[in-house]
Amino acid sequence: MTDIQRLENDGQLKEIAELAEKIWHECFTEIISEEQICYMVEKFQSYNAMREQTENQDYYYLGVYENGVLCGYIGLKPEHDSRMFLSKLYLEKGSRGKGTASEMLGRVFDEARKNGKKSVYLTVNKDNLHAIEVYTRKGFEIIDSVVTDIGGGFVMDDYIMQYRL
Ligand SMILES: CC(C)(COP(=O)(O)OP(=O)(O)OC[C@H]1O[C@@H](n2cnc3c(N)ncnc32)[C@H](O)[C@@H]1OP(=O)(O)O)[C@@H](O)C(=O)NCCC(=O)NCCS
């Protein structure tokens, strides 16, 4: 049974940080370099980075549990306009291919509606073909592309995708 819960404490955020490090190193090796993965995990998904995001930048995280065991996570940020930013949607390998992402996206749309938003948007690496297929299947459309300098000599080369609620 899949259960999706908003994180309530620091201990849960630490668990997400550990899972994030594992998932990122396992899923992005064919898309970006090992150096860039390490850099991005530290900058965006370490416990300290996520604490800063949740305390000062309006982000919140949800844990995804399969039979009580953490297997994925969602990162969200309500923008000041009518959009919800889907910052992270991650599942560990053993939990993929079972439709869990559809349940996660259903929860994302519920969260967006609860916050009075009219759309959900995200950025996805142009070479992350599986994620692009899943998002497209679930009704997202590519609306733009963006190259973001993230420091350290690295860039993110992404599509911006949007879902209208
Ligand atoms: C992206 C991710 C969360 C998707 O999870 P998943 O387990 O692979 O996807 P699911 O099996 O739950 O499928 C979700 C939906 O997409 C559909 N789908 C899956 N693969 C598809 C494909 N290749 N083409 C079209 N549709 C596809 C499924 O049928 C399902 O739709 P349905 O429920 O309406 O039938 C997961 O692959 C992941 O964590 N990847 C690594 C991290 C990542 O890249 N995250 C996104 C960063 S932007």
Side-chain angles (χ1 to χ4, degrees):
M1 201 191 88
T2 306
D3 188 26
I4 302 175
Q5 286 174 18
R6 185 165 173 162
L7 304 195
E8 301 295 350
N9 59 54
D10 265 12
Q12 290 172 321
L13 201 58
K14 280 183 181 147
E15 283 174 20
I16 296 284
E18 278 172 30
L19 179 67
E21 181 162 22
K22 183 175 151 200
I23 296 179
W24 279 54
H25 280 281
E26 158 262 297
C27 74
F28 286 137
T29 44
E30 284 172 19
I31 299 179
I32 49 181
S33 68
E34 192 61 28
E35 293 76 19
Q36 181 162 353
I37 295 171
C38 292
Y39 179 82
M40 290 180 73
V41 166
E42 184 57 32
K43 191 175 172 82
F44 302 118
Q45 297 287 264
S46 61
Y47 166 67
N48 286 336
M50 289 195 285
R51 215 176 135 190
E52 161 66 18
Q53 292 161 8
T54 52
E55 285 182 0
N56 299 321
Q57 299 174 41
D58 296 336
Y59 283 81
Y60 64 98
Y61 283 88
L62 305 159
V64 181
Y65 301 84
E66 213 174 68
N67 299 318
V69 179
L70 181 69
C71 65
Y73 65 101
I74 300 168
L76 291 171
K77 180 187 182 202
E79 297 287 10
H80 293 296
D81 54 25
S82 63
R83 299 171 305 156
M84 175 68 93
F85 177 43
L86 172 53
S87 166
K88 303 286 175 291
L89 188 88
Y90 286 79
L91 266 179
E92 70 178 358
K93 207 170 189 172
S95 298
R96 293 184 206 145
K98 303 175 186 172
T100 306
S102 294
E103 290 183 55
M104 292 162 73
L105 285 168
R107 177 62 180 265
V108 168
F109 301 150
D110 286 347
E111 293 287 325
R113 285 188 196 99
K114 212 165 67 186
N115 280 274
K117 302 303 183 192
K118 294 199 165 58
S119 65
V120 176
Y121 79 100
L122 58 86
T123 58
V124 56
N125 187 294
K126 285 179 184 166
D127 292 324
N128 194 348
L129 301 181
H130 177 67
I132 293 168
E133 283 169 355
V134 168
Y135 292 135
T136 303
R137 154 89 182 166
K138 303 312 293 183
F140 283 81
E141 288 173 331
I142 294 174
I143 55 165
D144 209 345
S145 56
V146 61
V147 178
T148 310
D149 186 337
I150 53 169
F154 300 114
V155 294
M156 294 195 309
D157 190 6
D158 292 335
Y159 288 123
I160 301 176
M161 298 187 79
Q162 176 180 261
Y163 179 91
R164 285 189 182 281
L165 290 160

